């Protein structure tokens, strides 16, 4: 396997022969960005006016929401890796740089971050040619960083992987180690501080990085990514109670890597990313009940095309930060108001069919 690498505008990633162009007569479903006023119930994009001093323009960072605050750590730009923590109040749009204590992680990018009991757990990533398999914990109440002493088989150094938390365990899937793309699965018992290699059954995803991994009920939903050659558009489900993989039958598939996903009720909202040829600024919505991509008209000022950005959900709004379009790094914040779709986060009683 070739080393995972960031695609350039000249890259020749393979694409699925069937894309959402069969539905829209364009490259994929695209967010429609209007300057005309939107009807009251419509979803609406806007660029947020923020206050204070936030991170410099970066990509491949992580963002997680904790009690109304979005914490941003790491990333990189043309000058190299970034190792600072910033916090954005999602109600007042005010940035601050918390004074932290303890053992701070080194600068890194393409790491993963999850939240458990108001603590942020950061795993892996890298800086330049270096790949890490370290685990750091940040307590948002005490503002203390720590590096837990763990036992058990730790994942190999990697970046561009995904992680989720389910029942007190952090699950890690995929990524790349600088030589190979990976498709292994590990779990970390947060209370007992132990790692375990998970033996899965069923058809597992091909090795990949820069995919997305989203917890939906008791399932890890893996979408897209790349092995350094192919830009994937497939969707896999890992049933966490049974550790069984299932491949979802989707027609058409939508190739995408370095995108940003959020589960909103019975939908997976996906913004931006790279489709194998171009950076995108579309909004994709995967209906978990019908397992089909859907189109929604979105008004307002949509983010410019980009990948390696982040997106979080708070108070019926989606917040996008940062990213990269092949030439420029970004430090802007965009907000998608769900409006009439604001009920979606409360939709929890649905089932994902695994055929």
């Amino acid at each position: 396997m070739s080393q995972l690498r960031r695609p350039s505008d000249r890259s020749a990633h393979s694409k699925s022969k069937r894309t959402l162009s069969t539905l829209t007569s364009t490259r994929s479903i695209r967010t429609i960005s209007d300057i005309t006023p939107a009807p009251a119930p419509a979803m609406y994009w806007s660029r947020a006016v923020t206050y204070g001093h936030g991170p410099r323009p970066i990509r491949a960072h992580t963002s997680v929401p904790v009690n109304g605050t979005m914490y941003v750590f790491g990333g990189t730009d043309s000058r190299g890796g970034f190792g600072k923590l910033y916090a954005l109040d999602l109600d007042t749009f005010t940035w601050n740089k918390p004074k932290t204590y303890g053992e701070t992680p080194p600068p890194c990018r393409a790491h993963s971050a999850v939240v458990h009991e108001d603590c942020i757990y950061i795993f892996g990533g890298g800086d330049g040619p270096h790949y890490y398999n370290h685990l750091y914990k940040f307590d948002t109440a005490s503002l203390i960083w720590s590096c837990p002493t763990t036992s058990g088989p730790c994942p190999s150094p990697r970046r561009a992987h995904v992680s989720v938390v389910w029942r007190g365990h952090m699950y890690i899937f995929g990524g790349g180690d600088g030589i190979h793309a990976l498709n292994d699965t590990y779990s970390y018992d947060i209370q007992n501080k132990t790692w375990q290699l998970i033996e899965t059954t069923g058809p597992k995803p091909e090795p990949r990085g820069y995919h997305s991994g989203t917890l939906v009920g008791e399932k890890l939903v893996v979408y897209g990514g790349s092995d350094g050659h192919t830009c994937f558009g497939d969707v896999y489900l890992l049933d966490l109670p049974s550790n069984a993989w299932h491949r979802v039958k989707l027609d058409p598939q939508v190739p995408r890597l370095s995108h940003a996903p959020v589960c909103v009720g019975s939908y997976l909202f996906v913004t931006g990313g790279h489709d194998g040829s171009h950076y995108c600024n579309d909004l994709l919505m995967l209906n978990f009940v019908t397992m089909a991509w859907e189109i929604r008209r979105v008004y307002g000022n949509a983010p410019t095309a980009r990948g390696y950005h982040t997106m979080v959900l708070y108070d019926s709004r989606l917040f996008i930060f940062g990213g990269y379009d092949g030439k420029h790094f970004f430090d802007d914040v965009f907000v998608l108001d769900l409006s009439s779709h604001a009920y979606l986060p409360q939709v929890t009683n649905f089932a994902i069919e695994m055929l």
Side-chain angles (χ1 to χ4, degrees):
M1 289 284 178
S2 298
Q3 178 180 347
L4 286 176
R5 61 187 185 276
R6 173 178 58 79
S8 67
D9 292 337
R10 297 179 180 177
S11 64
H13 289 266
S14 299
K15 294 183 63 178
S16 171
K17 293 182 179 180
R18 296 201 63 188
T19 69
L20 284 178
S21 60
T22 60
L23 300 180
T24 64
S25 74
T26 59
R27 189 172 68 249
S28 65
I29 292 182
R30 294 183 298 181
T31 298
I32 300 176
S33 181
D34 285 346
I35 60 173
T36 56
M43 288 191 291
Y44 193 87
W45 280 115
S46 61
R47 180 172 178 174
V49 176
T50 61
Y51 306 91
H53 297 287
R56 69 197 193 206
I58 51 174
R59 67 173 179 90
H61 50 289
T62 53
S63 301
V64 291
V66 184
N67 299 325
T69 297
M70 182 176 75
Y71 290 89
V72 177
F73 178 77
T76 190
D77 63 7
S78 59
R79 292 177 287 174
F82 197 54
K84 297 180 180 180
L85 179 76
Y86 284 85
L88 176 67
D89 187 305
L90 297 176
D91 291 310
T92 66
F93 297 99
T94 302
W95 285 105
N96 72 84
K97 186 174 178 297
K99 181 175 176 58
T100 63
Y101 307 88
E103 191 174 356
T104 306
C108 62
R109 62 181 170 92
H111 49 289
S112 65
V114 297
V115 177
H116 179 68
E117 296 181 347
D118 294 346
C119 291
I120 302 171
Y121 292 84
I122 288 177
F123 175 78
D127 187 26
H130 305 293
Y131 288 70
Y132 303 136
N133 65 345
H134 56 217
L135 176 68
Y136 283 85
K137 172 185 176 182
F138 179 69
D139 189 316
T140 61
S142 65
L143 302 182
I144 295 176
W145 285 102
S146 59
C147 189
T149 300
T150 67
S151 61
C154 180
S156 60
R158 65 190 63 201
R159 60 191 187 206
H161 54 284
V162 296
S163 61
V164 299
V165 170
W166 178 72
R167 292 187 179 177
H169 290 72
M170 179 175 67
Y171 286 80
I172 303 287
F173 172 74
D177 62 9
I179 300 175
H180 304 98
L182 306 169
N183 66 345
D184 48 6
T185 305
Y186 285 82
S187 74
Y188 173 70
D189 186 319
I190 294 175
Q191 180 177 354
N192 296 319
K193 301 179 182 179
T194 56
W195 285 103
Q196 178 184 4
L197 173 63
I198 301 298
E199 298 295 338
T200 62
T201 61
K204 67 170 64 175
E206 295 177 61
R208 66 191 62 201
Y210 293 112
H211 49 295
S212 60
T214 311
L215 183 68
V216 182
E218 296 185 327
K219 296 173 176 62
L220 168 62
V221 179
V222 171
Y223 165 54
S226 174
D227 61 1
H229 299 284
T230 300
C231 181
F232 299 114
D234 47 14
V235 174
Y236 284 82
L237 306 176
L238 177 62
D239 182 67
L240 297 177
S242 65
N243 294 325
W245 283 106
H246 303 265
R247 180 167 182 171
V248 177
K249 296 179 180 179
L250 283 176
D251 185 21
Q253 292 189 2
V254 187
R256 199 59 52 97
L257 64 93
S258 73
H259 48 285
V262 169
C263 176
V264 185
S266 56
Y267 284 86
L268 182 69
F269 280 59
V270 176
T271 59
H274 198 281
D275 68 3
S277 298
H278 307 87
Y279 285 95
C280 308
N281 75 331
D282 48 6
L283 171 68
L284 309 176
M285 293 176 62
L286 178 62
N287 187 326
F288 288 128
V289 177
T290 63
M291 274 300 170
W293 294 106
E294 294 187 1
I295 300 172
R296 291 289 189 278
R297 185 174 179 86
V298 183
Y299 293 81
N301 180 27
T304 56
R306 68 189 64 195
Y308 310 97
H309 54 296
T310 57
M311 181 168 64
V312 304
L313 171 67
Y314 172 70
D315 192 27
S316 300
R317 293 178 293 174
L318 294 172
F319 296 79
I320 284 180
F321 171 70
Y324 179 71
D325 68 359
K327 296 180 180 180
H328 307 101
F329 299 85
F330 300 105
D331 63 352
D332 45 15
V333 176
F334 281 84
V335 180
L336 177 63
D337 192 319
L338 296 179
S339 301
S340 64
H341 296 79
Y343 70 92
L344 284 176
Q346 282 72 51
V347 177
T348 58
N349 186 22
F350 66 94
I352 298 179
E353 297 292 334
M354 296 188 297
L355 303 176

